Amino acid sequence: MLNVETITIVGARPQFIKAAAVSRVLRVAEGVKEVLVHTGQHYDANMSDVFFDELEIPRLDYNLGIGSGTHGEQTGRMLEAIEKVLLQEKPDWVQVYGDTNSTLAGALAAVKLHIPVAHIEAGLRSFNRLMPEEINRVLTDHASDLLFAPTKTAMENLWREGIYEDQIKLVGDVMYDAAIFYGKKADQQSHILNKLRLKSKEYILATVHRAENTDDPVRLRAIFDALCEVACEIKVVLPLHPRTREALTKTGIYGTAASRICLTEPVGYLDMVMLEKNACLIATDSGGVQKEAFFYRVPCVTLREETEWVELVELGWNAVVPPFSAHVMADAIRSRIGSFGGVEENPYGDGNSAVKIVDFLVNASR
């Protein structure tokens, strides 16, 4: 009889969403045991606990409580703590998601103990090595035994880097699984529009959290000047990441931003989905939010120099606008309100990515 133990390592909000989709399938698979490890990378209750509740993620087996720190410090502490869990559990597989420090630490801890690694959302590339996430992606992919690619582009990236074809599995995007499942749930349970007095398609949703934007005062000011400019014409709602709030306060921008933009505390996943579905446009530096905009067919402006999700640009649903000039960003945001993609395709699969991932893991364990 099959008896497989897999350890799932998560640490940040996007990973909770992806893990929820896969865990629902893992937990009903015969002969499979999942152990859930939270590194504590997102340690604020608004950034973590509410996600576990709303997404109905199973009870944590381990919460490592690592918290914040420099990239090296945080990754090193995670590596040490995860290794102890792996030595105790001795799993057959370690699953990691995406591109965070938790992802890299989980992969490194496992590979050094000769435990096979499965990387979900493998093969994404921005080709910008200044992004910590890009380094995490590349190193994790090359340490992994099974690489679950969400798109053909991701699969081709892995081929070009010399990874064996039999290691790469094109499964689609588990975030599309989540969008289908939780989109309906948000309609039933979220009251965020009433709470913020918002009307559908009469506001812009913005998110800003990436280090290259928050840690660069020039970029940060340009982004918020653009959002404030647009907010003179249409309401802009921005759930504020703790790092962004700290950066705005440090640079003296917070007061002006708060007077013009509807700044809120971080919101739960169902509320975020509801805000996304009903926005007339989304302006973001988040990879996950770019995709969710597409899933709900909302035009998107990405406030970065590049995107991993090149399919969205090619299909006309996303425009990449480097965060250097406030006026250029503001004009791009205004011009895309009400726009739609020119091609109606779905490059992210059929909504059954989690089932395919679990099938591959089980078959690889036989």
Side-chain angles (χ1 to χ4, degrees), residues 282-359:
I282 294 174
T284 186
D285 61 5
S286 162
V289 174
Q290 291 174 49
K291 283 188 299 175
E292 287 168 338
F294 172 72
F295 296 152
Y296 301 124
R297 297 304 190 263
V298 176
C300 183
V301 172
T302 295
L303 307 173
R304 284 167 48 188
E305 294 177 73
E306 71 290 303
T307 179
E308 310 87 316
W309 304 105
V310 294
E311 304 85 6
L312 300 180
V313 177
E314 293 167 356
L315 293 174
W317 284 96
N318 189 8
V320 177
V321 182
F324 303 135
S325 165
H327 294 305
V328 170
M329 282 186 282
D331 286 344
I333 290 169
R334 281 191 290 252
S335 69
R336 289 192 56 79
I337 294 174
S339 67
F340 294 94
V343 181
E344 186 60 37
E345 292 182 11
N346 193 349
Y348 301 113
D350 57 7
N352 290 302
S353 301
V355 172
K356 296 172 186 176
I357 287 168
V358 174
D359 284 346

Side-chain angles (χ1 to χ4, degrees), residues 168-364:
I168 306 166
K169 310 298 179 185
L170 179 61
V171 295
D173 197 319
V174 293
M175 285 193 71
Y176 186 43
D177 297 23
I180 294 170
F181 184 83
Y182 293 107
K184 296 175 183 176
K185 195 172 179 182
D187 289 337
Q188 298 167 354
Q189 297 186 19
S190 174
H191 304 289
I192 192 70
L193 297 186
N194 288 337
K195 180 180 177 181
L196 298 180
R197 298 180 181 178
L198 300 174
K199 293 184 179 180
S200 182
K201 305 305 177 185
E202 293 187 8
Y203 65 91
I204 290 169
L205 175 66
T207 75
V208 180
H209 80 281
R210 284 196 179 268
E212 64 263 33
N213 287 335
T214 61
D215 296 353
D216 184 328
V218 175
R219 284 190 179 209
L220 187 69
R221 183 173 293 278
I223 290 171
F224 277 87
D225 282 351
L227 294 175
C228 287
E229 183 178 331
V230 173
C232 294
E233 303 169 32
I234 183 170
K235 191 164 190 173
V236 176
V237 178
L238 195 155
L240 201 54
H241 190 288
R243 180 169 63 225
T244 312
R245 179 186 293 275
E246 182 179 347
L248 290 174
T249 303
K250 183 178 179 180
T251 54
I253 303 173
Y254 182 84
T256 301
S259 68
R260 300 183 187 179
I261 300 170
C262 177
L263 301 179
T264 76
E265 293 296 320
V267 296
Y269 181 57
L270 296 183
D271 284 343
M272 188 63 180
V273 166
M274 201 66 175
L275 288 172
E276 290 170 343
K277 291 177 70 173
N278 288 279
C280 66
L281 179 135
I282 294 174
T284 186
D285 61 5
S286 162
V289 174
Q290 291 174 49
K291 283 188 299 175
E292 287 168 338
F294 172 72
F295 296 152
Y296 301 124
R297 297 304 190 263
V298 176
C300 183
V301 172
T302 295
L303 307 173
R304 284 167 48 188
E305 294 177 73
E306 71 290 303
T307 179
E308 310 87 316
W309 304 105
V310 294
E311 304 85 6
L312 300 180
V313 177
E314 293 167 356
L315 293 174
W317 284 96
N318 189 8
V320 177
V321 182
F324 303 135
S325 165
H327 294 305
V328 170
M329 282 186 282
D331 286 344
I333 290 169
R334 281 191 290 252
S335 69
R336 289 192 56 79
I337 294 174
S339 67
F340 294 94
V343 181
E344 186 60 37
E345 292 182 11
N346 193 349
Y348 301 113
D350 57 7
N352 290 302
S353 301
V355 172
K356 296 172 186 176
I357 287 168
V358 174
D359 284 346
F360 279 122
L361 278 173
V362 168
N363 289 329

Side-chain angles (χ1 to χ4, degrees), residues 122-124 149-160 168-170:
L124 300 186
T151 65
K152 290 181 180 178
T153 302
M155 186 170 63
E156 291 164 359
N157 289 336
L158 296 170
W159 287 344
R160 282 194 295 269
I168 306 166
K169 310 298 179 185
L170 179 61

